[in-house]
């Protein structure tokens, strides 16, 4: 046994989630988002599970991520939607990647590189990537002029999830963009706008394809509904062996700065995981870990590669080598990713996305 944390990814849960989500949005197609190292689940491993689950597309941020997926043997269509300044799009040609382009320069570069198919990315109010409304006419005119060289297979935008009113304004803008394209003789078969929250909220947002990130991994994009409420199964479990068990006397501290001192004689377990692994330091004295059949508080400062939990006076029989679960599926009695997010004032997205790529991942 190594003193190593382990991420176990339940591929059956990923397949289950895609099945549930596909049913929820039918007849729209499903794109699974595997950016950010597959939301911490591992880009290639997650992508393979989603490919096995029959997703229509995979989505990533940039061409480099997409090329790495191709090199790992992924063959479903891959969309990449954010590009480096001066991007030549040669990777797109070499690896059969579909770029979503946001401006004229990117469209021209695709045409010059011989990219056969693109999606057009329009900004309907998020003010991130995508062409803003005043640029649509010129972009769409040029796309129509290049139609025999570069086929526009899709049009996309991304919602802010601010409110039904704000999301409705964005959806209306998207409909305007599609209408302007159609006027120019281009009816893209793939019209996609919704990510997890919108797809599970607004039927009208699904159009012909939905881009599921978080929900595909079995996590809920809603504050007031859990994974189980949505019929989803969190796929990721983070375990770590207990590598030390130590008695401390009342008043003794643990870890840097003694932000916690034992309120009475107690026993601490040492876990070899810390902020270098992506476990947020802010979880110090806030989060809990399952070990010895019970939730135990993380006490003292989380260090770079270590944290301590309070086992109580008699240690409850916990011994070196026992497994601790930081988070997993609450249906299995584990703390949830949402518990960690709540404890640290962040969102479940961040808890999984910040997990270090160097943590070993096992797909079961
Ligand atoms: C363009 C785009 N589409 C889809 C997604 C997936 O979002 P979610 O994880 O909320 O489903 C993201 C993630 O932020 C995104 O940037």
């Amino acid at each position: 046994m190594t003193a190593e944390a382990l991420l176990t990814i339940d591929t059956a849960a990923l397949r289950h989630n895609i099945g549930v989500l596909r049913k929820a949005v039918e007849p729209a197609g499903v794109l699974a988002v595997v950016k950010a190292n597959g939301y911490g689940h591992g880009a290639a491993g997650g992508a393979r599970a989603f490919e096995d689950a029959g997703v229509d597309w995979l989505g990533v941020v940039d061409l480099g991520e997409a090329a790495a997926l191709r090199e790992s043997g992924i063959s479903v269509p891959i969309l990449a939607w954010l590009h480096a300044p001066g991007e030549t799009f040669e990777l797109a040609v070499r690896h059969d990647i579909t770029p979503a382009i946001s401006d004229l320069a990117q469209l021209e570069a695709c045409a010059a590189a011989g990219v056969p198919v693109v999606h057009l990315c329009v900004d309907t109010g998020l003010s991130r990537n995508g062409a803003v409304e005043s640029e649509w006419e010129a972009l769409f005119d040029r796309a129509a002029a290049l139609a025999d060289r570069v086929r526009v297979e899709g049009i996309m935008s991304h919602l802010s999830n601010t409110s039904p009113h704000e999301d409705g304004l964005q959806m209306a803008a998207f409909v305007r963009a599609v209408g302007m394209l159609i006027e120019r003789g281009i009816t893209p078969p793939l019209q996609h706008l919704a990510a997890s929250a919108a797809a599970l909220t607004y039927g009208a947002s699904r159009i012909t394809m939905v881009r599921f990130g978080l929900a595909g991994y079995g996590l809920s994009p809603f504050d007031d509904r859990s994974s189980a409420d949505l019929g989803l199964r969190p796929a990721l479990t983070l375990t770590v062996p207990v590598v030390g068990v130590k008695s401390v006397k009342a008043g003794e501290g643990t870890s840097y700065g003694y932000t916690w001192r034992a309120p009475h004689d107690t026993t601490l377990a040492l876990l070899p995981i810390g902020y270098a692994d992506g476990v947020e330091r802010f979880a110090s004295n806030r989060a809990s870990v399952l070990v010895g059949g019970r939730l135990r508080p993380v006490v003292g400062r989380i260090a770079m590669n270590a944290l301590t939990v309070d086992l109580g006076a008699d240690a409850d029989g916990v011994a070196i080598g026992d497994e601790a679960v930081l988070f997993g599926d609450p249906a299995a009695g584990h703390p949830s990713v949402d518990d960690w997010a709540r404890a640290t004032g962040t969102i479940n997205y961040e808890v999984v996305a910040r997990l270090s790529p160097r943590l070993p991942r096992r797909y079961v």
Side-chain angles (χ1 to χ4, degrees):
M1 175 177 184
T2 60
E4 262 194 342
L6 177 66
L7 287 167
T8 303
I9 294 100
D10 180 351
T11 55
L14 295 178
R15 285 195 299 277
H16 164 86
N17 297 333
I18 293 301
V20 168
L21 296 169
R22 186 179 275 291
K23 234 185 219 118
V25 303
E26 264 169 357
V30 170
L31 176 152
V33 180
V34 292
K35 64 178 182 169
N37 199 25
Y39 286 48
H41 294 62
R48 204 163 301 122
F50 286 135
E51 189 174 51
D52 290 348
V55 298
D56 305 295
W57 281 76
L58 292 170
V60 291
V61 172
D62 63 39
L63 295 174
E65 289 175 280
L69 290 179
R70 283 280 180 260
E71 275 162 2
S72 74
I74 297 295
S75 58
V76 288
I78 305 177
L79 187 71
W81 52 71
L82 201 68
H83 309 296
E87 176 60 61
T88 63
F89 294 94
E90 274 153 22
L91 273 183
V93 177
R94 195 172 336 137
H95 293 286
D96 185 22
I97 301 158
T98 305
I101 61 98
S102 289
D103 58 37
L104 270 173
Q106 291 177 356
L107 179 61
E108 297 295 356
C110 282
V115 173
V117 179
V118 298
H119 292 204
L120 302 180
C121 184
V122 291
D123 183 353
T124 52
L126 195 61
S127 303
R128 294 192 339 203
N129 55 329
V132 295
E133 193 153 357
S134 59
E135 297 165 338
W136 293 351
E137 194 176 331
L139 182 64
F140 297 174
D141 282 348
R142 188 66 185 137
L146 288 170
D148 55 344
R149 287 169 59 195
V150 185
R151 186 163 60 86
V152 176
E153 177 193 37
I155 178 166
M156 71 177 281
S157 191
H158 196 43
L159 296 175
S160 73
N161 301 324
T162 302
S163 65
H165 172 67
E166 298 285 0
D167 293 343
L169 293 177
Q170 283 198 255
M171 287 192 252
F174 192 71
V175 169
R176 283 199 300 281
V178 173
M180 283 177 64
L181 258 189
I182 291 172
E183 279 168 16
R184 286 158 177 78
I186 300 172
T187 305
L190 297 173
Q191 300 170 19
H192 48 109
L193 173 69
S196 296
L200 298 173
T201 306
Y202 315 119
S205 73
R206 296 172 192 150
I207 326 179
T208 69
M209 188 163 78
V210 164
R211 302 185 306 268
F212 281 116
L214 194 74
Y217 300 97
L219 299 173
S220 170
F222 306 114
D223 289 338
D224 57 352
R225 272 174 287 167
S226 68
S227 302
D229 292 339
L230 300 174
L232 302 174
R233 286 166 42 194
L236 187 72
T237 306
L238 174 55
T239 55
V240 59
V242 173
V243 292
V245 175
K246 179 168 290 180
S247 297
V248 291
K249 296 250 174 280
E252 288 182 347
T254 181
S255 198
Y256 302 121
Y258 289 169
T259 60
W260 178 91
R261 288 176 188 269
H264 44 70
D265 293 357
T266 191
T267 317
L268 301 179
L270 176 64
L271 307 182
I273 190 164
Y275 58 78
D277 303 296
V279 175
E280 196 180 356
R281 186 170 175 270
F282 192 66
S284 307
N285 298 307
R286 287 187 168 86
S288 297
V289 168
L290 179 72
V291 57
R294 288 218 330 250
L295 287 180
R296 321 280 178 170
V298 173
V299 292
R301 284 226 174 101
I302 293 174
M304 195 178 288
N305 306 100
L307 61 82
T308 48
V309 298
D310 182 8
L311 298 174
D314 63 2
D316 261 351
V318 173
I320 289 174
D322 285 1
E323 182 182 83
V325 184
L326 273 74
F327 47 76
D329 186 350
H334 302 155
S336 66
V337 170
D338 300 279
D339 291 335
W340 275 73
R342 271 188 293 273
T344 56
T346 186
I347 51 174
N348 48 10
Y349 289 82
E350 187 180 347
V351 173
V352 290
R354 71 199 332 269
L355 291 168
S356 168
R358 75 190 179 94
L359 283 171
R361 285 161 172 82
R362 184 169 60 108
Y363 297 87
V364 295

